[in-house]
Amino acid sequence: MLSYAARRTLGAVPRVLLVSVLLFLLLQLPAGGPADVFAADPTASPEAIQRIEELWGLNRPVHEQYLAWLGNMVQGDWGFSFSQRRPARAVVMERLGNTLWLTGGALLVGLVFGVGLGVATAATRRRAPKAALQLLSVVGMSVPTFWSGTLVLLYFGVHLGWIPSGGMGTIGEAFSLPDLLRHLAAPAIVLGSVYVAQWSRFVHAGLEETMREDYVRTARAKGRHRWALLMRHAFPNTAITLLTVLGLELPRLVAGAMVTEVVFAWPGLGRLLTESLLGRDYPVVMAALMLLVLLVIVANVATDLAYGLLDPRVRYG
Amino acid sequence: MHLPARRFVFKTLLATLAVLTLAATPALGQTRATVLSPQEPATLLPHFDLLTLTHETQQLIFDCLFVVDQDGDYLPNLTTEVPTVQNGGISADGTTYTLRLRDDVLWHDGEPFDAEDVRYTWQVITDPDLPIPARGVWEDVVAIDTPDPHTAVVRFEETNVAFLGAASADACFVLPEHRLAGRSLTEDPFNRDPIGTGAFTLQEWQSGAFLRLAANPDHHGGAPALDEIVIRFAGSQAARTALQRGEADLALHIGAADLRFAQNLAGYEVRQAPDHAWWQFWINNDGPILSDVRVRRALAHGLDKDLITETVFGGVVEPLDAILPPSHWAHAEDVRAYPYDVEAAATLLEEAGWTDENGDSVREKDGEPLRIEILNIAGQADRRQVVQIAQDLWSDIGVEAVIREIDGASFPPTMAAGDYQLAYGWFGENQEPVFALWLGTNWQNFDDASALDLLRGVSSTVDREARADAIREFQRTVAEEAAMLPLAPRPLLNVVSDRLEGYRPTLSGSLWNAHEWTVR
């Protein structure tokens, strides 16, 4: 299994290289470069801006810039942020941790409530809960998080004053887990609600379908209780497909938390990426994007490995 | 569930609640002002980041040699007096400035501030190997002599009238020579962990979230009354929530889209901060259609500035006709104005040969439609509103205005390349105008040689009234030619809490006197 993982990871190297070339070229497309951000202030002289381009190596041919970047990257040097004047890796990494808290919380909300609702509605034979679930998931999937987030903030934050107005912790206090959780709850629920909507439908449909399979009918004929049928026989099969969805979702969770991050002033990676793109801080943009590329690969390999754990039919060779 | 178990769960819940409540209570006896800023500084190292909001934040940590008061006059800050020709601080020919420095100023690490720091700052700003985007008048300095630790003599080759302005409001923060000399400024951790001579010292910087600063009891202007200042980085939505909850004492530079919301907030007041910036339509005077002064004047007549200032800027600013706002001492009031007049605009366009032959309500000349592109920066609601209103208004005079939106970093190079006809943006001038817009970038391709020569003479005219006369004459020429289309002063709006006392914004910024603030 380890050799399989190693082979899969190594096999991804050409793809990572290709993606990095494409990203690097994409960044060259728009009219202004990193130094032009300063030109928005007309007190910056054209000579000074040209000098900055020289200092940052932006006047060199693109392929030279790319090779220099790649050479540094493989040696663990992710570049130096143009605007923040510190290593891009430090800039990105401090935000990654923040985003992982948020997405981890959202994932937990999504899994607990999504799977829970899906199983609960599959277990019942009554129509009303099933219809309610359908309505809930349509609403949940179509309401954008900037809107639901704003509503949550207005009602629970401003009107009731139950949740803080944003950020990751109370300013001026040392880090504490209860404080973090207090700040995390609302954004995690808002971001997670989308997953609750998606995954509850997914689990519900998967279970309903599996319950019609022959082996489930056989088990039922043997007199097993509906709950046991659901959890022991049907759920493991649904879980495997849920895993695929999760594996595909993981990178998007990291990058896609941006809107929620903006609404709740959460200092995460998505906001950093947007700000760095607008500020043309290419080293930070590349560092953040490459981190996401690596996440995609790791998530894919991890999903494949998890199949083996859940499904005894899967063998690695 | 057995009873003891239930009791255990209940107790645990209570304990959790108690911890959560405690975590939310701020430390007792501390006075803190919370300031909201829509943007986070990229670096706190002065001179490397030109954002106004970065300058505002740096104002708490660093000091300028002088500050500007509410009347626009200079006050000594790191100096004991403002140099003038009368007190011998400025040589009669305006080439030498003798600065008498205070001897009671300490850096945050306890080292004394002296003339070497002033000289070092000049060396940094003019170091060609540092990525500093604007060097301003410091580039014209030929030497800074330090005859004693508390005297710095700044020498120029030619008469310089812009020095005091630059040393009080723009590239003016003095750097600690003892801490930075011999180090690489672009890589030193100083940019995240700076020391200055300012009233507050940096305690904590959580990227993307906030800066926390503590009072500096040794501050030369007196110990601050507050214990801390927190700068929270909050976009529009986060700022609204914080203001509604009464968590902020000051919100800096709110957008026009938030103006009405802020005007209706109880316990807060929207106040305009002094600023020499204004919104305008750049005109590419070199273009095939806009090189004709009649077309430019027609566009000016066709723009209802009152409508825009009322609807987009909430009526907090008046329309502007000159290329310097009324807040500026050299503003000219008597420039040619182009009142909103559709008839006059139509007559001018017809004189210029633009008529609507085919009845599609767009004028043509030689078979070409009167189509003009407006360049704009994408993603800002108030900018788009203005451009769309202008588009509508100009369609009434038979001009088909097409909006082209690009991102902020692409905007300057596109204009510099002359790849535009009209462009909507703002421009700010210094207290001592340097006219970078006309003598430097000249994106509008204005080529009236005699008018530009008049402007060049300003920097060597020591007498302020004579300078003002020349600058006013230039404004009249620009308005006569309709070479630029000014719209209104830029409303630099701060939302100020009733609790905050001592808030006195000047051209030095909104936070320059934060050591005098108190929060009720």
Side-chain angles (χ1 to χ4, degrees), chain B residues 345-502:
Chain B
T347 313
L348 279 164
L349 288 173
E350 250 138 59
E351 276 174 24
W354 293 97
T355 49
D356 183 14
E357 300 291 343
N358 58 9
D360 64 351
S361 32
V362 176
R363 294 170 187 273
E364 302 92 27
K365 185 160 105 176
D366 307 328
E368 288 294 312
L370 182 48
R371 182 179 295 147
I372 295 175
E373 198 180 70
I374 313 174
L375 192 68
N376 188 26
I377 292 180
Q380 293 171 36
D382 53 322
R383 291 185 75 123
R384 173 166 300 170
Q385 272 178 308
V386 170
V387 174
Q388 283 175 343
I389 294 174
Q391 185 185 34
D392 273 355
L393 289 167
W394 284 329
S395 79
D396 291 344
I397 59 169
V399 174
E400 183 188 358
V402 185
I403 298 171
R404 173 159 64 121
E405 295 204 314
I406 57 177
D407 77 295
S410 305
F411 195 73
T414 305
M415 292 182 66
D419 179 20
Y420 80 103
Q421 289 177 286
L422 292 175
Y424 179 63
W426 63 267
F427 183 80
E429 194 50 272
N430 296 349
Q431 174 72 354
E432 284 301 338
V434 290
F435 300 105
L437 180 62
W438 299 91
L439 301 174
T441 53
N442 196 12
W443 291 333
Q444 60 278 20
N445 294 311
F446 179 75
D447 59 1
D448 184 334
S450 64
L452 290 174
D453 276 342
L454 178 75
L455 208 51
R456 276 189 200 99
V458 167
S459 61
S460 54
T461 309
V462 182
D463 180 51
R464 186 155 153 158
E465 265 319 299
R467 284 209 298 280
D469 285 343
I471 296 169
R472 291 190 184 119
E473 182 57 33
F474 183 75
Q475 292 170 71
R476 282 188 283 269
T477 308
V478 170
E480 190 63 32
E481 290 295 312
M484 186 72 91
L485 185 40
L487 177 64
R490 180 179 67 162
L492 194 60
L493 301 172
N494 292 341
V495 186
V496 191
S497 158
D498 295 348
R499 296 183 304 265
L500 182 65
E501 280 176 16

Side-chain angles (χ1 to χ4, degrees), chain A:
Chain A
M1 195 159 132
L2 269 179
S3 74
Y4 171 81
R7 249 182 304 127
R8 278 292 305 272
T9 314
L10 278 179
V13 170
R15 263 177 293 159
V16 175
L17 280 178
L18 183 68
V19 170
S20 70
V21 171
L22 287 177
L23 290 175
F24 209 89
L25 288 178
L26 269 178
L27 287 181
Q28 313 294 326
L29 284 182
D36 288 310
V37 172
F38 294 120
D41 188 326
T43 54
S45 71
E47 296 78 37
I49 287 163
Q50 208 176 349
R51 183 78 191 116
I52 291 174
E53 282 179 350
E54 278 168 39
L55 290 170
W56 287 348
L58 295 164
N59 55 343
R60 289 186 295 166
V62 181
H63 66 273
E64 269 184 38
Q65 288 184 44
Y66 174 76
L67 290 176
W69 172 82
L70 186 68
N72 290 335
M73 193 80 181
V74 292
Q75 293 171 50
D77 175 1
W78 295 25
F80 209 76
S81 163
F82 290 149
S83 61
Q84 298 197 22
R85 307 313 314 161
R86 57 190 182 126
R89 185 163 64 177
V91 176
V92 169
M93 283 306 181
E94 74 185 6
R95 295 298 189 92
L96 179 69
N98 299 349
T99 287
L100 288 180
W101 272 109
L102 176 58
T103 51
L107 206 62
L108 194 71
V109 169
L111 275 178
V112 169
F113 292 95
V115 172
L117 279 175
V119 171
T121 48
T124 173
R125 286 201 183 81
R126 279 183 295 164
R127 284 269 173 81
K130 290 181 201 290
L133 179 75
Q134 191 144 21
L135 183 71
L136 185 91
S137 62
V138 168
V139 171
M141 277 189 272
S142 38
V143 171
T145 48
F146 69 82
W147 194 68
S148 54
T150 307
L151 284 188
V152 165
L153 261 184
L154 265 180
Y155 192 70
F156 294 99
V158 176
H159 186 68
L160 294 175
W162 288 1
I163 55 169
S165 62
M168 278 185 72
T170 307
I171 297 172
E173 274 176 30
F175 173 85
S176 76
L177 194 62
D179 189 45
L180 174 67
L181 293 179
R182 230 167 51 85
H183 284 79
L184 178 63
I189 289 171
V190 166
L191 185 60
S193 65
V194 181
Y195 297 107
V196 173
Q198 283 176 13
W199 296 342
S200 60
R201 281 295 299 159
F202 187 82
V203 169
H204 175 89
L207 287 177
E208 295 260 283
E209 199 182 310
T210 323
M211 290 295 274
R212 286 195 290 271
E213 296 274 339
D214 289 346
Y215 72 93
V216 178
R217 200 172 52 209
T218 311
R220 188 184 294 151
K222 281 159 68 181
R224 300 213 67 169
H225 187 260
R226 188 169 167 85
W227 262 106
L229 288 175
L230 212 59
M231 295 317 290
R232 292 288 307 258
H233 297 275
F235 187 71
N237 276 338
T238 311
I240 291 172
T241 24
L242 181 66
L243 195 71
T244 314
V245 177
L246 259 175
L248 289 174
E249 204 60 56
L250 215 56
R252 216 191 67 170
L253 251 175
V254 174
M258 192 204 80
V259 175
T260 315
E261 286 174 2
V262 170
V263 173
F264 289 94
W266 193 267
L269 193 64
R271 248 173 78 200
L272 174 75
L273 186 57
T274 332
E275 283 161 11
S276 306
L277 266 171
L278 287 176
R280 299 288 166 85
D281 197 343
Y282 292 167
V284 174
V285 172
M286 282 305 288
L289 289 176
M290 291 318 290
L291 195 69
L292 290 177
V293 171
L294 292 179
L295 268 175
V296 173
I297 288 163
V298 170
N300 282 347
V301 174
T303 314
D304 286 353
L305 293 179
Y307 283 149
L309 297 177
L310 282 177
D311 188 344
R313 286 171 304 183
V314 175
R315 291 282 175 275
Y316 302 102

Side-chain angles (χ1 to χ4, degrees), chain B residues 85 90-97 156-161 459 462:
Chain B
V85 177
I90 303 178
S91 63
D93 60 355
T95 59
T96 308
Y97 288 72
F156 293 89
E157 208 151 56
E158 290 165 11
T159 303
N160 193 295
V161 297
S459 61
V462 182

